[in-house]
Amino acid sequence: MPLLKKLVGAALVLGGVGAVAGWLLSAPVKLDVETLAQLGPGDSARGKRIFNAGGCTSCHAKPGSQGEARLALVGGLALKTPFGTFVPPNISQDAKDGIGAWSVEDLANAMLKGVSPSGEHFYPAFPYPSYARMRPADIADLYAFLKTLPAVAGKAPDHSLSFPFNIRRGLGLWKRLYLSKEPVIAFADGTPDPVMAGRYLVEGPGHCGECHTPRDFAGGTKKSAWLAGALAAEGSGVVSNITSGEGGIGNWSEADIANYLETGFTPEFDSASGAMVDVQKNMAELTAGDRTAIAAYLKAIPPHPNGYPARKKTAN
């Protein structure tokens, strides 16, 4: 009995230590003073470019809205995933239901660290794992542009998640595995400027890897299959391989890619479909130089075969 009591006691102590360690390691971490100092005053004209590159309207505009109505960022789009249903919130300038009361520091912490003004973790359905690679000054520019958009009242519905995914604190441990400001693809010194500019747009504000890269069991992107295509988060569809590997866009030229981003038409005279329709609308708002840079980057990254299983053939 004495030995048993000692073992039970030791187990309780170890369990307690583990719980404390887990609590400390999972704590939300905000930006340091040095990073916040890089925000600067912000410029709304430059911020519009970041807004379009980030595709903010794709998730935060009211579903089905067109034209200027896409700038009413009331949220509400239901994103059904294996982890539950996520609903992008109202990010309009409404001070009560949106983010009108946020400071530029609040927006920077949300986008670079995935932490809310109240100090809670955001779920990575908000693609801050990509935004973490953005320059703080671009966040300030985006903030300035968002301030020019309308305030729209109305809260979006809450997320619908089951246990244990409804426990936000655990995301602190997830972030330790998957949140990094380092580029995904390392290029050698002397890499052409358009490729480097494209890397920033694709890996950062454009967050292309969030949909075009397969994920592991914990929902993190598999960097070893970067942009190789993936199963769609919703339904049974797939998101295309945009590398030059088998099944990808190896037969597309840089001009073909840039033209697709501008017009929505592929070299085979097909057109963008599904969620890519909204993405292409946003890409069309960028400069020709930005689209050319994205194309240069996609042609320079390592090729990968399709990152999703081949579809099973059905009997006739």
Side-chain angles (χ1 to χ4, degrees):
M1 288 297 291
L3 178 59
L4 178 59
K5 288 182 178 180
K6 288 181 180 180
L7 291 174
V8 171
L12 290 174
V13 169
L14 290 173
V17 170
V20 170
W23 183 256
L24 293 174
L25 290 171
S26 63
V29 177
K30 290 193 172 184
L31 294 169
D32 56 39
V33 174
E34 182 180 349
T35 302
L36 291 174
Q38 298 173 37
L39 288 169
D43 178 272
S44 61
R46 292 196 302 264
K48 183 177 181 180
R49 169 179 175 259
I50 299 301
F51 179 84
N52 288 321
C56 304
T57 58
S58 297
C59 286
H60 293 282
K62 184 178 180 179
S65 57
Q66 299 292 329
E68 289 297 309
R70 298 175 78 230
L71 298 178
L73 305 176
V74 70
L77 176 70
L79 302 172
K80 298 178 181 178
T81 77
F83 303 98
T85 299
F86 297 94
V87 183
N90 182 333
I91 60 166
S92 79
Q93 290 303 298
D94 187 88
K96 179 182 177 183
D97 297 329
I99 62 172
W102 284 24
S103 66
V104 65
E105 291 82 6
D106 290 334
L107 183 64
N109 275 301
M111 296 188 68
L112 300 180
K113 288 293 188 178
V115 178
S116 74
S118 63
E120 287 190 309
H121 293 297
F122 282 120
Y123 286 100
F126 171 40
Y128 58 80
S130 289
Y131 295 155
R133 303 183 186 101
M134 291 178 63
R135 294 183 284 265
D138 282 345
I139 304 294
D141 291 341
L142 176 61
Y143 180 83
F145 178 72
L146 290 173
K147 283 295 182 184
T148 71
L149 300 183
V152 185
K155 275 194 173 296
D158 291 332
H159 303 315
S160 179
L161 307 173
S162 58
F163 180 83
F165 308 117
N166 58 344
I167 301 176
R168 289 179 183 262
R169 185 74 182 206
L171 288 168
L173 300 176
W174 187 92
K175 288 179 180 179
R176 288 183 176 274
L177 294 174
Y178 299 109
L179 187 62
S180 172
K181 64 181 181 181
E182 296 302 317
V184 178
I185 304 299
F187 290 110
D189 292 342
T191 298
D193 289 344
V195 174
M196 301 304 285
R199 180 177 73 174
Y200 179 73
L201 288 169
V202 170
E203 296 188 10
H207 62 279
C208 304
E210 301 294 332
C211 288
H212 286 278
T213 302
R215 294 180 179 272
D216 61 23
F217 73 97
T221 53
K222 295 181 179 179
K223 303 298 192 302
S224 61
W226 183 243
L227 301 183
L231 294 173
E234 301 180 66
S236 58
V238 296
V239 182
S240 59
N241 179 350
I242 53 174
T243 76
S244 294
E246 183 180 355
I249 56 174
N251 61 334
W252 290 27
S253 67
E254 289 186 21
D256 289 334
I257 297 171
N259 181 69
Y260 173 72
L261 295 176
E262 181 180 11
T263 68
F265 289 102
T266 71
E268 297 80 21
F269 302 102
D270 199 356
S271 59
S273 60
M276 192 61 199
V277 172
D278 259 350
V279 174
Q280 185 274 317
K281 284 181 181 178
N282 298 322
M283 293 292 103
E285 295 295 326
L286 298 179
T287 66
D290 283 340
R291 290 189 293 270
T292 297
I294 292 171
Y297 168 79
L298 292 179
K299 296 299 287 186
I301 62 174
H304 296 292
N306 285 345
Y308 48 85
R311 294 182 180 181
K312 294 181 179 179
K313 293 183 178 180
T314 56
N316 293 326

